[in-house]
Every structure is written in structure tokens, then in C-alpha cells.
Amino acid sequence: MSKIKPSKGAPYARILGVGGYRPTRVVPNEVILETIDSSDEWIRSRSGIETRHWANDEETVAAMSVEASGKAIADAGITAQQIGAVVVSTVSHFKQTPAVATEIADKLGTNKAAAFDISAGCAGFGYGLTLAKGMIVEGSAEYVLVIGVERLSDLTDLEDRATAFLFGDGAGAVVVGPSREPAIGPTVWGSEGDKSETIKQTVPWTDYRDGEVAKFPAITQEGQAVFRWAVFEMAKVAKEALDAAGITSAELDVFIPHQANERIIDSMVKTLKLPESVTVARDVRTTGNTSAASIPLAMERLLATGEAKSGDTALLIGFGAGLVYAATVVTLP
């Protein structure tokens, strides 16, 4: 018989606060058209994107994360010293080590919180949220800060007609804490590594280091393949998340999918047969695709504008490079 004492975690976990940071520079489609042969109408019709935000030299991954996290901590009504763990999802922090989460935890003034980065692309926020829920229920932390942050402008090939217009920068953060009732549903997640070539970095860093390529590595994708996968397969995953949470689409208040492309969002809404009463996040129009940051940024905007309210039931789904995905139903803070 085991001598290990049982964990003393909370019965459930919930999102208690949310915060976001968008860089000050707003980049319209006209700027993108300086380097690709396209049009504003084509970009809008293909993606829904009108503008995106690009970071300046001071708006680093860490700096944007600290700004978003400070808002989330204040929104949750706690102090940084109460944060027991910091989980950061990003693919655009260019130091292999140490994890940027450790820098963020220190700058926020946490009390030596556990801190680590994860790399799960556009599904990264969902992965981090799932880890946070586990920590709280298990008892290893009372409050967990989950951050999705990207500077994808650093990984954008402005001459690639398929991707130059897609990506933006920003940070979104949530505080996850204890709850007396279920407020974060079961996560439906997974990967399809056989499709990893559809979204990828053009070449390894070592090829650039060794002079085998002259162009800095960037993110590229097979647009049509990604579109088909997202529309048909991710709608199934979203439905599984609803079923796992024990609710129907008719009981849903808000839908916050990864802000990859408005055509994908529209197609998912149609496939899921969401009623018109469901508020759908469309932050992609003015923020672009910010990968791991897109879901918390969209959540923050919906709450700030009043399009969604505290206590609403929301379906979250992220999907992207890997290919990886994660979907869950949550109660909004």
C-alpha cells in the first residue's frame, strides 16, 4: 500500500481573469501589398484580415507577456505573489534556453513560481489551459498564469504570397484558479504528425547558421490543405468537446476558435450548426493570426466590448502546426 499522501487540490478549476496586449503599430493590408502581388480585396475575401499589429524592438515576447499578464492578474483580483506557476506557449522566442516564462515570472514579481514554455503552435493556449487545470486540481499550484504570445512578424516571409498577410503579434493571458463547480470542461486534444509538412518552418535554424540558405527561416503553409483539415476535422473535434462537457450547441453562448482565417471560422460555424444567438469571435479582422495568442486575445476583446459577459459558456478550439489541436468548453471570467 502506498505511503504517499493524497493531493489537496481544488475540486475544480476556472478562468478567473483575462488580459491582452496588442503592439502599438497597426499594419493595414496596403503595407503587405508592397511586397506581394495581390490586392486588399483578395486578402479580405480569403482571410477576413484588414489590419494586424506588429511589434517594435521594445515589444519583446517577454515585454508583451508582462503587460497582458498584469491585466489578467488584476482582473482575477489576486497578486503576482499568489501565482504558483507560469506557462507560456510561444514559437517565436528565439532563445532556446532559458525559457521566457522564467523571465516573465521574475518581472511580474512572483514568489519563485514554477515557469516553463511549451511549443504547440496555434493550439498552445489550449494545451496550457489543460496543464493549468491539472495543476490546480492536483494541488501543485493554487493559481496558474497561462500566456499565449507571439512575434510572428519575425517569422513572416513578406514575399510569400500565401502567408505574408496572415500573421500578427500580441500576447494574451489568463489566470486559472480554484472553483467549487466545473468551469473548464474536459479537453479533446491530439496531433496528426503525418500532416506536419502542411504548416512548418521553411528550414532549420542550423541551415541558416551554416550558410546553406541566405534567407532567414519563416513559417510557410499549404493553404488549401490546412483549410480542408481545419474545416472538416476540427468541426468534429469541437463537437466532441461539446459532448465531453455535456452541453449542446444550443446551450452555447460564445464560440472562440483560433483566429486563423475568417473563412475557416464561418465554415466551422456552419458545420457545427451554431444558432445565431451564439457570439462568434472575429478578432482576426484587426489582429490577424497570432497563433498561441489568438484565443485569449479574442476572449479579452469580447469581454471588453460586452459582446460576451462573465458567466457565459464558451467553446474554445485551437489548431495548427504539428498538426495539433485542443478544444474545451469553459465558463468565461
Side-chain angles (χ1 to χ4, degrees):
M1 186 174 181
S2 175
K3 297 180 181 178
I4 299 173
K5 294 180 180 180
S7 299
K8 295 182 179 180
Y12 306 104
R14 70 184 305 123
I15 299 174
L16 299 173
V18 60
Y21 180 83
R22 293 171 174 80
T24 55
R25 183 187 177 193
V26 177
V27 180
N29 289 337
E30 285 72 20
V31 172
I32 307 299
L33 296 174
E34 294 173 5
T35 52
I36 62 171
D37 180 17
S38 188
S39 68
D40 177 62
E41 190 279 330
W42 187 88
I43 293 173
R44 290 178 188 239
S45 65
R46 299 287 292 185
S47 68
I49 298 172
E50 302 168 6
T51 61
R52 73 284 292 147
H53 295 255
W54 283 355
N56 60 33
D57 291 343
E58 287 73 39
E59 291 168 322
T60 63
V61 166
M64 292 190 294
S65 296
V66 169
E67 289 293 328
S69 299
K71 295 175 184 177
I73 291 168
D75 191 43
I78 66 168
T79 66
Q81 288 76 22
Q82 292 174 274
I83 297 292
V86 177
V87 182
V88 178
S89 178
T90 186
V91 298
S92 48
H93 175 58
F94 290 156
K95 287 185 179 178
Q96 192 70 38
T97 191
V100 71
T102 59
E103 179 183 350
I104 295 165
D106 177 64
K107 287 184 174 179
L108 286 171
T110 68
N111 185 23
K112 300 180 180 179
F116 58 94
D117 298 350
I118 58 175
S119 177
C122 306
F125 177 75
Y127 276 47
L129 188 63
T130 303
L131 293 173
K133 174 185 173 183
M135 288 184 227
I136 291 159
V137 173
E138 185 271 338
S140 59
E142 185 176 11
Y143 298 100
V144 179
L145 179 65
V146 180
I147 304 166
V149 57
E150 302 292 3
R151 272 183 55 123
L152 293 181
S153 57
D154 291 332
L155 286 167
T156 299
D157 180 354
L158 293 177
E159 296 178 347
D160 181 355
R161 190 172 184 269
T163 61
F165 59 90
L166 285 176
F167 302 122
D169 304 336
V174 299
V175 172
V176 183
S179 175
R180 294 181 180 178
E181 59 184 14
I184 301 176
T187 300
V188 177
W189 57 353
S191 66
E192 297 185 36
D194 60 313
K195 298 181 180 67
S196 61
E197 290 296 301
T198 55
I199 306 174
K200 64 181 181 179
Q201 184 170 303
T202 48
V203 295
W205 300 114
T206 48
D207 284 6
Y208 181 75
R209 179 198 65 188
D210 298 339
E212 295 181 23
V213 295
K215 205 169 202 178
F216 193 74
I219 297 173
T220 188
Q221 69 176 30
E222 298 174 14
Q224 287 303 313
V226 173
F227 182 87
R228 288 192 298 270
W229 175 77
V231 169
F232 297 110
E233 298 303 321
M234 292 305 97
K236 297 176 187 176
V237 171
K239 180 62 167 59
E240 288 179 36
L242 288 172
D243 292 343
I247 70 168
T248 67
S249 58
E251 297 174 283
L252 200 62
D253 299 308
V254 185
F255 180 41
I256 311 178
H258 165 48
Q259 302 292 292
N261 178 308
E262 192 165 35
R263 288 174 63 214
I264 291 175
I265 295 170
D266 288 341
S267 296
M268 291 183 72
V269 168
K270 183 177 180 180
T271 303
L272 287 168
K273 299 179 180 178
L274 297 182
E276 292 185 5
S277 59
V278 175
T279 297
V280 180
R282 300 184 186 278
D283 196 44
V284 66
R285 292 174 179 170
T286 56
T287 307
N289 180 341
T290 56
S291 188
S294 78
I295 291 175
L297 277 174
M299 182 188 300
E300 183 262 351
R301 173 161 283 172
L302 289 177
L303 289 167
T305 59
E307 295 173 80
K309 62 184 184 299
S310 176
D312 278 353
T313 300
L315 170 61
L316 318 179
I317 180 168
F319 45 86
L323 294 171
V324 295
Y325 55 87
T328 189
V329 176
V330 304
T331 300
L332 293 181

mmCIF file of all heavy atoms in Angstrom, residues 10 15 17 22 33 37 42 93 95 99 107 117 121 149 155 173 184 196 202 235 238 260 273 286 293 299:
data_model
loop_
_atom_site.group_PDB
_atom_site.id
_atom_site.type_symbol
_atom_site.label_atom_id
_atom_site.label_comp_id
_atom_site.label_asym_id
_atom_site.label_seq_id
_atom_site.Cartn_x
_atom_site.Cartn_y
_atom_site.Cartn_z
ATOM 1 N N ALA A 10 -7.909 21.698 -5.473
ATOM 2 C CA ALA A 10 -9.295 22.144 -5.534
ATOM 3 C C ALA A 10 -10.129 21.101 -6.282
ATOM 4 O O ALA A 10 -9.604 20.345 -7.096
ATOM 5 C CB ALA A 10 -9.365 23.491 -6.252
ATOM 6 N N ILE A 15 -11.253 29.847 -15.155
ATOM 7 C CA ILE A 15 -10.544 31.058 -15.556
ATOM 8 C C ILE A 15 -11.080 32.207 -14.714
ATOM 9 O O ILE A 15 -12.284 32.456 -14.683
ATOM 10 C CB ILE A 15 -10.748 31.352 -17.056
ATOM 11 C CG1 ILE A 15 -10.199 30.208 -17.908
ATOM 12 C CG2 ILE A 15 -10.059 32.666 -17.439
ATOM 13 C CD1 ILE A 15 -10.497 30.356 -19.397
ATOM 14 N N GLY A 17 -9.441 35.481 -14.625
ATOM 15 C CA GLY A 17 -9.146 36.797 -15.180
ATOM 16 C C GLY A 17 -8.454 36.665 -16.515
ATOM 17 O O GLY A 17 -7.804 35.653 -16.796
ATOM 18 N N ARG A 22 -1.783 44.228 -27.440
ATOM 19 C CA ARG A 22 -1.553 44.326 -28.875
ATOM 20 C C ARG A 22 -0.522 45.423 -29.124
ATOM 21 O O ARG A 22 -0.657 46.530 -28.592
ATOM 22 C CB ARG A 22 -2.853 44.651 -29.607
ATOM 23 C CG ARG A 22 -3.893 43.533 -29.545
ATOM 24 C CD ARG A 22 -5.234 43.997 -30.097
ATOM 25 N NE ARG A 22 -6.197 42.899 -30.167
ATOM 26 C CZ ARG A 22 -6.901 42.436 -29.140
ATOM 27 N NH1 ARG A 22 -6.762 43.001 -27.941
ATOM 28 N NH2 ARG A 22 -7.743 41.426 -29.286
ATOM 29 N N LEU A 33 0.916 44.724 -49.362
ATOM 30 C CA LEU A 33 0.865 44.731 -50.828
ATOM 31 C C LEU A 33 2.107 45.344 -51.457
ATOM 32 O O LEU A 33 2.301 45.257 -52.682
ATOM 33 C CB LEU A 33 -0.382 45.475 -51.289
ATOM 34 C CG LEU A 33 -1.714 44.832 -50.889
ATOM 35 C CD1 LEU A 33 -2.889 45.716 -51.276
ATOM 36 C CD2 LEU A 33 -1.856 43.453 -51.522
ATOM 37 N N ASP A 37 2.240 40.392 -54.906
ATOM 38 C CA ASP A 37 1.314 40.730 -55.988
ATOM 39 C C ASP A 37 -0.075 40.255 -55.595
ATOM 40 O O ASP A 37 -0.424 39.093 -55.754
ATOM 41 C CB ASP A 37 1.768 40.051 -57.284
ATOM 42 C CG ASP A 37 0.845 40.377 -58.454
ATOM 43 O OD1 ASP A 37 0.079 41.358 -58.326
ATOM 44 O OD2 ASP A 37 0.889 39.653 -59.463
ATOM 45 N N TRP A 42 -8.593 40.864 -52.306
ATOM 46 C CA TRP A 42 -8.236 39.433 -52.281
ATOM 47 C C TRP A 42 -7.900 38.984 -50.863
ATOM 48 O O TRP A 42 -8.363 37.937 -50.405
ATOM 49 C CB TRP A 42 -7.052 39.175 -53.208
ATOM 50 C CG TRP A 42 -6.712 37.720 -53.369
ATOM 51 C CD1 TRP A 42 -7.222 36.854 -54.282
ATOM 52 C CD2 TRP A 42 -5.783 36.968 -52.570
ATOM 53 N NE1 TRP A 42 -6.670 35.599 -54.114
ATOM 54 C CE2 TRP A 42 -5.784 35.632 -53.069
ATOM 55 C CE3 TRP A 42 -4.958 37.270 -51.497
ATOM 56 C CZ2 TRP A 42 -4.995 34.621 -52.524
ATOM 57 C CZ3 TRP A 42 -4.169 36.262 -50.952
ATOM 58 C CH2 TRP A 42 -4.198 34.952 -51.465
ATOM 59 N N HIS A 93 9.976 32.868 -29.455
ATOM 60 C CA HIS A 93 11.022 33.300 -28.526
ATOM 61 C C HIS A 93 12.307 32.652 -29.011
ATOM 62 O O HIS A 93 12.439 31.435 -29.005
ATOM 63 C CB HIS A 93 10.691 32.844 -27.099
ATOM 64 C CG HIS A 93 11.776 33.135 -26.108
ATOM 65 N ND1 HIS A 93 12.246 34.404 -25.881
ATOM 66 C CD2 HIS A 93 12.486 32.323 -25.285
ATOM 67 C CE1 HIS A 93 13.183 34.366 -24.965
ATOM 68 N NE2 HIS A 93 13.355 33.112 -24.595
ATOM 69 N N LYS A 95 15.422 32.472 -28.012
ATOM 70 C CA LYS A 95 16.431 31.862 -27.146
ATOM 71 C C LYS A 95 15.986 30.444 -26.810
ATOM 72 O O LYS A 95 14.920 30.250 -26.222
ATOM 73 C CB LYS A 95 16.618 32.675 -25.862
ATOM 74 C CG LYS A 95 17.364 33.989 -26.053
ATOM 75 C CD LYS A 95 17.602 34.665 -24.711
ATOM 76 C CE LYS A 95 18.377 35.969 -24.884
ATOM 77 N NZ LYS A 95 18.566 36.661 -23.578
ATOM 78 N N ALA A 99 13.878 29.318 -20.620
ATOM 79 C CA ALA A 99 12.504 29.575 -21.016
ATOM 80 C C ALA A 99 12.138 31.021 -20.726
ATOM 81 O O ALA A 99 12.513 31.568 -19.687
ATOM 82 C CB ALA A 99 11.562 28.635 -20.258
ATOM 83 N N LYS A 107 9.823 39.178 -13.659
ATOM 84 C CA LYS A 107 9.428 40.571 -13.870
ATOM 85 C C LYS A 107 8.063 40.886 -13.278
ATOM 86 O O LYS A 107 7.788 42.032 -12.899
ATOM 87 C CB LYS A 107 9.441 40.881 -15.364
ATOM 88 C CG LYS A 107 10.861 40.995 -15.932
ATOM 89 C CD LYS A 107 10.866 41.396 -17.393
ATOM 90 C CE LYS A 107 12.291 41.634 -17.873
ATOM 91 N NZ LYS A 107 12.349 42.004 -19.306
ATOM 92 N N ASP A 117 8.089 26.974 -20.786
ATOM 93 C CA ASP A 117 7.495 27.234 -22.090
ATOM 94 C C ASP A 117 7.000 25.934 -22.709
ATOM 95 O O ASP A 117 7.544 24.857 -22.440
ATOM 96 C CB ASP A 117 8.533 27.836 -23.053
ATOM 97 C CG ASP A 117 9.084 29.175 -22.586
ATOM 98 O OD1 ASP A 117 8.538 29.739 -21.617
ATOM 99 O OD2 ASP A 117 10.059 29.638 -23.208
ATOM 100 N N GLY A 121 2.204 25.488 -31.135
ATOM 101 C CA GLY A 121 1.644 26.319 -32.187
ATOM 102 C C GLY A 121 0.336 26.983 -31.788
ATOM 103 O O GLY A 121 0.165 27.464 -30.664
ATOM 104 N N VAL A 149 1.691 33.929 -26.523
ATOM 105 C CA VAL A 149 2.368 35.135 -27.001
ATOM 106 C C VAL A 149 3.160 34.830 -28.266
ATOM 107 O O VAL A 149 3.774 33.778 -28.382
ATOM 108 C CB VAL A 149 3.303 35.718 -25.910
ATOM 109 C CG1 VAL A 149 4.324 34.687 -25.444
ATOM 110 C CG2 VAL A 149 3.998 36.996 -26.395
ATOM 111 N N LEU A 155 8.881 35.915 -38.077
ATOM 112 C CA LEU A 155 8.910 34.651 -38.816
ATOM 113 C C LEU A 155 8.044 34.700 -40.072
ATOM 114 O O LEU A 155 7.608 33.674 -40.580
ATOM 115 C CB LEU A 155 8.426 33.512 -37.905
ATOM 116 C CG LEU A 155 9.408 33.063 -36.821
ATOM 117 C CD1 LEU A 155 8.708 32.167 -35.810
ATOM 118 C CD2 LEU A 155 10.592 32.343 -37.437
ATOM 119 N N ALA A 173 -3.313 36.529 -21.921
ATOM 120 C CA ALA A 173 -3.032 35.778 -20.694
ATOM 121 C C ALA A 173 -4.309 35.566 -19.897
ATOM 122 O O ALA A 173 -5.227 36.395 -19.942
ATOM 123 C CB ALA A 173 -2.011 36.526 -19.832
ATOM 124 N N ILE A 184 -14.120 24.453 -16.386
ATOM 125 C CA ILE A 184 -13.262 24.125 -17.525
ATOM 126 C C ILE A 184 -13.536 22.660 -17.844
ATOM 127 O O ILE A 184 -13.259 21.773 -17.040
ATOM 128 C CB ILE A 184 -11.762 24.332 -17.233
ATOM 129 C CG1 ILE A 184 -11.476 25.784 -16.850
ATOM 130 C CG2 ILE A 184 -10.931 23.928 -18.456
ATOM 131 C CD1 ILE A 184 -10.022 26.038 -16.463
ATOM 132 N N SER A 196 2.414 17.071 -40.805
ATOM 133 C CA SER A 196 3.262 18.143 -40.275
ATOM 134 C C SER A 196 3.848 19.047 -41.356
ATOM 135 O O SER A 196 4.206 20.200 -41.084
ATOM 136 C CB SER A 196 4.402 17.550 -39.437
ATOM 137 O OG SER A 196 5.221 16.706 -40.231
ATOM 138 N N THR A 202 10.367 27.017 -42.732
ATOM 139 C CA THR A 202 10.921 26.718 -44.056
ATOM 140 C C THR A 202 12.169 25.840 -43.996
ATOM 141 O O THR A 202 12.282 24.858 -44.733
ATOM 142 C CB THR A 202 11.248 28.021 -44.800
ATOM 143 O OG1 THR A 202 11.994 28.893 -43.924
ATOM 144 C CG2 THR A 202 9.975 28.721 -45.251
ATOM 145 N N ALA A 235 -14.085 20.742 -36.877
ATOM 146 C CA ALA A 235 -15.502 20.818 -36.503
ATOM 147 C C ALA A 235 -15.904 19.565 -35.720
ATOM 148 O O ALA A 235 -16.676 19.637 -34.757
ATOM 149 C CB ALA A 235 -16.373 20.975 -37.749
ATOM 150 N N ALA A 238 -14.477 19.968 -32.230
ATOM 151 C CA ALA A 238 -15.300 20.920 -31.478
ATOM 152 C C ALA A 238 -16.570 20.251 -30.959
ATOM 153 O O ALA A 238 -16.982 20.465 -29.808
ATOM 154 C CB ALA A 238 -15.646 22.115 -32.360
ATOM 155 N N ALA A 260 -7.461 32.008 -37.182
ATOM 156 C CA ALA A 260 -6.572 31.700 -38.301
ATOM 157 C C ALA A 260 -7.020 32.396 -39.577
ATOM 158 O O ALA A 260 -6.194 32.916 -40.332
ATOM 159 C CB ALA A 260 -6.523 30.192 -38.525
ATOM 160 N N LYS A 273 -23.517 24.011 -36.925
ATOM 161 C CA LYS A 273 -24.917 24.451 -36.857
ATOM 162 C C LYS A 273 -25.180 25.283 -35.603
ATOM 163 O O LYS A 273 -26.168 25.083 -34.884
ATOM 164 C CB LYS A 273 -25.863 23.248 -36.912
ATOM 165 C CG LYS A 273 -25.744 22.439 -38.202
ATOM 166 C CD LYS A 273 -26.683 21.240 -38.214
ATOM 167 C CE LYS A 273 -26.543 20.457 -39.509
ATOM 168 N NZ LYS A 273 -27.413 19.239 -39.542
ATOM 169 N N THR A 286 -8.886 42.423 -37.290
ATOM 170 C CA THR A 286 -7.998 43.542 -36.946
ATOM 171 C C THR A 286 -6.712 43.128 -36.239
ATOM 172 O O THR A 286 -5.841 43.967 -36.025
ATOM 173 C CB THR A 286 -8.738 44.553 -36.045
ATOM 174 O OG1 THR A 286 -9.231 43.866 -34.886
ATOM 175 C CG2 THR A 286 -9.895 45.198 -36.791
ATOM 176 N N ALA A 293 -1.514 33.215 -29.182
ATOM 177 C CA ALA A 293 -2.126 34.367 -28.502
ATOM 178 C C ALA A 293 -3.563 34.613 -28.951
ATOM 179 O O ALA A 293 -4.287 35.376 -28.308
ATOM 180 C CB ALA A 293 -1.297 35.624 -28.757
ATOM 181 N N MET A 299 -10.817 36.426 -26.582
ATOM 182 C CA MET A 299 -11.626 36.368 -25.376
ATOM 183 C C MET A 299 -11.622 37.720 -24.668
ATOM 184 O O MET A 299 -12.675 38.233 -24.249
ATOM 185 C CB MET A 299 -11.079 35.287 -24.431
ATOM 186 C CG MET A 299 -11.871 35.098 -23.159
ATOM 187 S SD MET A 299 -11.046 33.986 -21.980
ATOM 188 C CE MET A 299 -10.940 32.472 -22.936
#
